[in-house]
Amino acid sequence: MATLSAVNKMSWICSHVIRQTTGFRAAKLIQQRAFRVNGAVRQQPFDSSEEKPQFPGASAEFIDHLEFIQPNVISGIPVYRVMDRAGQIINPSEDPQLSKEQVLNFYQKMTLLNTMDRILYESQRQGRISFYMTNYGEEGTHIGSAAALDPRDLVFGQYREAGVLMYRGFPLDLFMAQCYANVDDLGKGRQMPVHYGSKDLNFVTISSPLATQIPQAAGAAYAAKRENTNRAVICYFGEGAASEGDAHAGFNFSATLECPLIFFCRNNGYAISTPTNEQYRGDGIAARGPGYGMMSIRVDGNDVFAVYNATKEARRRAVAENQPFLIEAMTYRIGHHSTSDDSSAYRSVDEVNYWDKQDHPISRLRHYMTARSWWSEEDERSWRKQSRKMVMEAFEKAEKRHKPHPDLMFSDVYEEMTPNLVKQKEAMWRHIQQYKEHYPLDAYAK
């Protein structure tokens, strides 16, 4: 009996401890089961007597009639702009009040990029480089966003953001070296043309697979948040890339982890040959932001000031509040998708001419400067001549430089070369020696 009494007593003590522990854990769990609404409101403990939904996955009200949500329940998201097509400021309170020197820098970078595009596009057509992608018509999205960032902010590009790198100070010589894959190329000739990158300028090297940069940017932004360095991350992509699964992963991670990240979508009308009306059925890309709990805005991508204002404010709040922002810049890809594309097969010449002649970001900014007597016809002729000379000098220099040494194909992956790589390297050199007439080694660095 004494033994049974002791067992019963021990059982009561254990049950009491378990009940206390369970109660403590339950109270703690209720306290922790908080979801954020606009970053502030916390969910209250459940009260089953209230006729309100208590599901943890959404904040809503009950209804007593069957109703599906229509895709057009909200009217189209408006397009924010500062300048009209003639370069006139619409609302003076939105004028960023940039100095003459800053505006001239914007214009010169946009036109220099345009000049570089024309020369490198022609060089590909002449067989001098293997591939190229122009930025025609999208210069405003590059320069406006780049100018609004801190130089320490990390940039993840897609493949049509050369202007961002140019604004940060990437020299023409290195643009040319990358496209020519010569000995001066920071990537050592391992990448195809236009896959730029610069560690010094905080610009992550471009990779060909579409949208892979989006979840990578979310991870980088989460790391920046944990380091508490007041640093933001910006991730560029096109509306076509937003159809990739990686976009969903990046959007969701950045929102739930509350990352200081700016998603910058260049909606230029076409994903290679696929027009937007075949790419999605909703209201563009900005409309997706609220579904992920992200602040979103749609801007006129051909208005460099609108892009600048939106990116600057998104950057400020992303760092201050640790939350992601989605910017959809509406623009138009005037050039072919790449030198492997012929856009005349899927769009009319008249359509392209409209954007090239009547709604171009460069001409809009030029109208703005001309109205303030900051730019004249003589300035234009002089700068066009000077910029072409700069690009041609870098172009001619790049053509004369040697190619990187072939051994560099096997380095920078492992600290010490693995046995299989050693065999591959030896096999490569045997092949080169056997067919040396096809491999002019004098064109390569020693």
PDB file of all heavy atoms in Angstrom, residues 107 366 375-388:
ATOM      1  N   TYR A 107      22.107  62.720 -68.154  1.00  0.00           N
ATOM      2  CA  TYR A 107      21.968  62.746 -69.603  1.00  0.00           C
ATOM      3  C   TYR A 107      23.200  62.162 -70.299  1.00  0.00           C
ATOM      4  O   TYR A 107      23.086  61.376 -71.248  1.00  0.00           O
ATOM      5  CB  TYR A 107      21.738  64.180 -70.080  1.00  0.00           C
ATOM      6  CG  TYR A 107      21.463  64.288 -71.560  1.00  0.00           C
ATOM      7  CD1 TYR A 107      20.226  63.932 -72.089  1.00  0.00           C
ATOM      8  CD2 TYR A 107      22.452  64.727 -72.448  1.00  0.00           C
ATOM      9  CE1 TYR A 107      19.965  64.002 -73.453  1.00  0.00           C
ATOM     10  CE2 TYR A 107      22.206  64.811 -73.807  1.00  0.00           C
ATOM     11  CZ  TYR A 107      20.965  64.446 -74.307  1.00  0.00           C
ATOM     12  OH  TYR A 107      20.721  64.519 -75.662  1.00  0.00           O
ATOM     13  N   ARG A 366      16.253  65.566 -72.408  1.00  0.00           N
ATOM     14  CA  ARG A 366      16.846  66.649 -73.184  1.00  0.00           C
ATOM     15  C   ARG A 366      15.887  67.844 -73.279  1.00  0.00           C
ATOM     16  O   ARG A 366      16.303  69.000 -73.173  1.00  0.00           O
ATOM     17  CB  ARG A 366      17.213  66.156 -74.585  1.00  0.00           C
ATOM     18  CG  ARG A 366      17.940  67.225 -75.406  1.00  0.00           C
ATOM     19  CD  ARG A 366      18.313  66.723 -76.785  1.00  0.00           C
ATOM     20  NE  ARG A 366      18.860  67.783 -77.606  1.00  0.00           N
ATOM     21  CZ  ARG A 366      19.165  67.659 -78.879  1.00  0.00           C
ATOM     22  NH1 ARG A 366      18.987  66.497 -79.500  1.00  0.00           N
ATOM     23  NH2 ARG A 366      19.667  68.671 -79.564  1.00  0.00           N
ATOM     24  N   TRP A 375      21.295  73.026 -72.002  1.00  0.00           N
ATOM     25  CA  TRP A 375      21.812  72.188 -73.093  1.00  0.00           C
ATOM     26  C   TRP A 375      21.400  72.820 -74.417  1.00  0.00           C
ATOM     27  O   TRP A 375      20.271  73.285 -74.568  1.00  0.00           O
ATOM     28  CB  TRP A 375      21.248  70.787 -72.986  1.00  0.00           C
ATOM     29  CG  TRP A 375      21.990  69.722 -73.753  1.00  0.00           C
ATOM     30  CD1 TRP A 375      21.569  69.084 -74.881  1.00  0.00           C
ATOM     31  CD2 TRP A 375      23.262  69.153 -73.430  1.00  0.00           C
ATOM     32  NE1 TRP A 375      22.493  68.150 -75.291  1.00  0.00           N
ATOM     33  CE2 TRP A 375      23.551  68.165 -74.413  1.00  0.00           C
ATOM     34  CE3 TRP A 375      24.197  69.375 -72.423  1.00  0.00           C
ATOM     35  CZ2 TRP A 375      24.724  67.416 -74.399  1.00  0.00           C
ATOM     36  CZ3 TRP A 375      25.359  68.613 -72.405  1.00  0.00           C
ATOM     37  CH2 TRP A 375      25.613  67.655 -73.384  1.00  0.00           C
ATOM     38  N   SER A 376      22.340  72.849 -75.337  1.00  0.00           N
ATOM     39  CA  SER A 376      22.080  73.466 -76.638  1.00  0.00           C
ATOM     40  C   SER A 376      22.405  72.486 -77.755  1.00  0.00           C
ATOM     41  O   SER A 376      22.949  71.398 -77.520  1.00  0.00           O
ATOM     42  CB  SER A 376      22.941  74.726 -76.795  1.00  0.00           C
ATOM     43  OG  SER A 376      24.328  74.372 -76.838  1.00  0.00           O
ATOM     44  N   GLU A 377      22.075  72.885 -78.972  1.00  0.00           N
ATOM     45  CA  GLU A 377      22.401  72.054 -80.130  1.00  0.00           C
ATOM     46  C   GLU A 377      23.907  71.860 -80.259  1.00  0.00           C
ATOM     47  O   GLU A 377      24.379  70.786 -80.627  1.00  0.00           O
ATOM     48  CB  GLU A 377      21.831  72.682 -81.409  1.00  0.00           C
ATOM     49  CG  GLU A 377      20.320  72.587 -81.534  1.00  0.00           C
ATOM     50  CD  GLU A 377      19.849  71.157 -81.714  1.00  0.00           C
ATOM     51  OE1 GLU A 377      20.638  70.305 -82.178  1.00  0.00           O
ATOM     52  OE2 GLU A 377      18.688  70.880 -81.358  1.00  0.00           O
ATOM     53  N   GLU A 378      24.643  72.899 -79.954  1.00  0.00           N
ATOM     54  CA  GLU A 378      26.107  72.806 -80.017  1.00  0.00           C
ATOM     55  C   GLU A 378      26.632  71.845 -78.955  1.00  0.00           C
ATOM     56  O   GLU A 378      27.545  71.051 -79.211  1.00  0.00           O
ATOM     57  CB  GLU A 378      26.723  74.195 -79.821  1.00  0.00           C
ATOM     58  CG  GLU A 378      28.251  74.221 -79.843  1.00  0.00           C
ATOM     59  CD  GLU A 378      28.836  73.624 -81.119  1.00  0.00           C
ATOM     60  OE1 GLU A 378      28.227  73.804 -82.203  1.00  0.00           O
ATOM     61  OE2 GLU A 378      29.905  72.972 -81.033  1.00  0.00           O
ATOM     62  N   ASP A 379      26.050  71.903 -77.752  1.00  0.00           N
ATOM     63  CA  ASP A 379      26.436  70.962 -76.692  1.00  0.00           C
ATOM     64  C   ASP A 379      26.167  69.526 -77.138  1.00  0.00           C
ATOM     65  O   ASP A 379      26.970  68.621 -76.892  1.00  0.00           O
ATOM     66  CB  ASP A 379      25.642  71.251 -75.412  1.00  0.00           C
ATOM     67  CG  ASP A 379      26.036  72.564 -74.767  1.00  0.00           C
ATOM     68  OD1 ASP A 379      27.207  72.950 -74.854  1.00  0.00           O
ATOM     69  OD2 ASP A 379      25.141  73.217 -74.173  1.00  0.00           O
ATOM     70  N   GLU A 380      25.023  69.351 -77.794  1.00  0.00           N
ATOM     71  CA  GLU A 380      24.642  68.011 -78.243  1.00  0.00           C
ATOM     72  C   GLU A 380      25.637  67.481 -79.281  1.00  0.00           C
ATOM     73  O   GLU A 380      26.116  66.339 -79.173  1.00  0.00           O
ATOM     74  CB  GLU A 380      23.230  68.037 -78.836  1.00  0.00           C
ATOM     75  CG  GLU A 380      22.707  66.690 -79.305  1.00  0.00           C
ATOM     76  CD  GLU A 380      22.366  65.744 -78.175  1.00  0.00           C
ATOM     77  OE1 GLU A 380      22.276  66.207 -77.011  1.00  0.00           O
ATOM     78  OE2 GLU A 380      22.189  64.538 -78.428  1.00  0.00           O
ATOM     79  N   ARG A 381      25.954  68.290 -80.279  1.00  0.00           N
ATOM     80  CA  ARG A 381      26.907  67.857 -81.313  1.00  0.00           C
ATOM     81  C   ARG A 381      28.269  67.562 -80.715  1.00  0.00           C
ATOM     82  O   ARG A 381      28.907  66.545 -81.023  1.00  0.00           O
ATOM     83  CB  ARG A 381      27.033  68.928 -82.399  1.00  0.00           C
ATOM     84  CG  ARG A 381      25.842  69.006 -83.345  1.00  0.00           C
ATOM     85  CD  ARG A 381      26.157  69.880 -84.545  1.00  0.00           C
ATOM     86  NE  ARG A 381      26.351  71.282 -84.145  1.00  0.00           N
ATOM     87  CZ  ARG A 381      25.397  72.181 -84.078  1.00  0.00           C
ATOM     88  NH1 ARG A 381      24.144  71.843 -84.385  1.00  0.00           N
ATOM     89  NH2 ARG A 381      25.660  73.425 -83.719  1.00  0.00           N
ATOM     90  N   SER A 382      28.724  68.420 -79.820  1.00  0.00           N
ATOM     91  CA  SER A 382      30.036  68.256 -79.205  1.00  0.00           C
ATOM     92  C   SER A 382      30.090  66.988 -78.357  1.00  0.00           C
ATOM     93  O   SER A 382      31.050  66.206 -78.432  1.00  0.00           O
ATOM     94  CB  SER A 382      30.361  69.476 -78.346  1.00  0.00           C
ATOM     95  OG  SER A 382      31.585  69.293 -77.657  1.00  0.00           O
ATOM     96  N   TRP A 383      29.045  66.770 -77.549  1.00  0.00           N
ATOM     97  CA  TRP A 383      29.035  65.591 -76.672  1.00  0.00           C
ATOM     98  C   TRP A 383      28.908  64.300 -77.472  1.00  0.00           C
ATOM     99  O   TRP A 383      29.567  63.309 -77.166  1.00  0.00           O
ATOM    100  CB  TRP A 383      27.914  65.692 -75.653  1.00  0.00           C
ATOM    101  CG  TRP A 383      27.679  64.421 -74.904  1.00  0.00           C
ATOM    102  CD1 TRP A 383      26.572  63.638 -74.916  1.00  0.00           C
ATOM    103  CD2 TRP A 383      28.624  63.737 -74.051  1.00  0.00           C
ATOM    104  NE1 TRP A 383      26.746  62.529 -74.132  1.00  0.00           N
ATOM    105  CE2 TRP A 383      27.997  62.555 -73.583  1.00  0.00           C
ATOM    106  CE3 TRP A 383      29.932  64.014 -73.638  1.00  0.00           C
ATOM    107  CZ2 TRP A 383      28.636  61.664 -72.730  1.00  0.00           C
ATOM    108  CZ3 TRP A 383      30.576  63.113 -72.787  1.00  0.00           C
ATOM    109  CH2 TRP A 383      29.925  61.958 -72.338  1.00  0.00           C
ATOM    110  N   ARG A 384      28.082  64.295 -78.507  1.00  0.00           N
ATOM    111  CA  ARG A 384      27.939  63.090 -79.330  1.00  0.00           C
ATOM    112  C   ARG A 384      29.269  62.708 -79.976  1.00  0.00           C
ATOM    113  O   ARG A 384      29.638  61.527 -80.038  1.00  0.00           O
ATOM    114  CB  ARG A 384      26.878  63.312 -80.408  1.00  0.00           C
ATOM    115  CG  ARG A 384      25.458  63.429 -79.884  1.00  0.00           C
ATOM    116  CD  ARG A 384      24.917  62.098 -79.411  1.00  0.00           C
ATOM    117  NE  ARG A 384      23.538  62.188 -78.954  1.00  0.00           N
ATOM    118  CZ  ARG A 384      22.793  61.158 -78.600  1.00  0.00           C
ATOM    119  NH1 ARG A 384      23.308  59.940 -78.632  1.00  0.00           N
ATOM    120  NH2 ARG A 384      21.546  61.317 -78.183  1.00  0.00           N
ATOM    121  N   LYS A 385      29.980  63.705 -80.437  1.00  0.00           N
ATOM    122  CA  LYS A 385      31.287  63.459 -81.049  1.00  0.00           C
ATOM    123  C   LYS A 385      32.284  62.949 -80.009  1.00  0.00           C
ATOM    124  O   LYS A 385      33.032  61.994 -80.251  1.00  0.00           O
ATOM    125  CB  LYS A 385      31.801  64.754 -81.695  1.00  0.00           C
ATOM    126  CG  LYS A 385      33.131  64.603 -82.404  1.00  0.00           C
ATOM    127  CD  LYS A 385      33.542  65.915 -83.062  1.00  0.00           C
ATOM    128  CE  LYS A 385      34.886  65.792 -83.768  1.00  0.00           C
ATOM    129  NZ  LYS A 385      35.296  67.085 -84.406  1.00  0.00           N
ATOM    130  N   GLN A 386      32.288  63.595 -78.843  1.00  0.00           N
ATOM    131  CA  GLN A 386      33.211  63.206 -77.780  1.00  0.00           C
ATOM    132  C   GLN A 386      32.912  61.798 -77.259  1.00  0.00           C
ATOM    133  O   GLN A 386      33.833  60.986 -77.059  1.00  0.00           O
ATOM    134  CB  GLN A 386      33.126  64.212 -76.630  1.00  0.00           C
ATOM    135  CG  GLN A 386      34.058  63.893 -75.461  1.00  0.00           C
ATOM    136  CD  GLN A 386      33.834  64.829 -74.282  1.00  0.00           C
ATOM    137  OE1 GLN A 386      33.138  65.847 -74.399  1.00  0.00           O
ATOM    138  NE2 GLN A 386      34.413  64.486 -73.140  1.00  0.00           N
ATOM    139  N   SER A 387      31.640  61.507 -77.040  1.00  0.00           N
ATOM    140  CA  SER A 387      31.272  60.205 -76.493  1.00  0.00           C
ATOM    141  C   SER A 387      31.591  59.084 -77.482  1.00  0.00           C
ATOM    142  O   SER A 387      32.053  58.005 -77.074  1.00  0.00           O
ATOM    143  CB  SER A 387      29.783  60.179 -76.121  1.00  0.00           C
ATOM    144  OG  SER A 387      28.972  60.422 -77.246  1.00  0.00           O
ATOM    145  N   ARG A 388      31.372  59.325 -78.757  1.00  0.00           N
ATOM    146  CA  ARG A 388      31.703  58.304 -79.756  1.00  0.00           C
ATOM    147  C   ARG A 388      33.210  58.054 -79.786  1.00  0.00           C
ATOM    148  O   ARG A 388      33.648  56.907 -79.895  1.00  0.00           O
ATOM    149  CB  ARG A 388      31.202  58.723 -81.139  1.00  0.00           C
ATOM    150  CG  ARG A 388      31.503  57.680 -82.209  1.00  0.00           C
ATOM    151  CD  ARG A 388      30.858  57.983 -83.541  1.00  0.00           C
ATOM    152  NE  ARG A 388      31.221  56.984 -84.529  1.00  0.00           N
ATOM    153  CZ  ARG A 388      30.687  55.779 -84.640  1.00  0.00           C
ATOM    154  NH1 ARG A 388      29.721  55.415 -83.815  1.00  0.00           N
ATOM    155  NH2 ARG A 388      31.081  54.937 -85.568  1.00  0.00           N
TER     156      ARG A 388
END
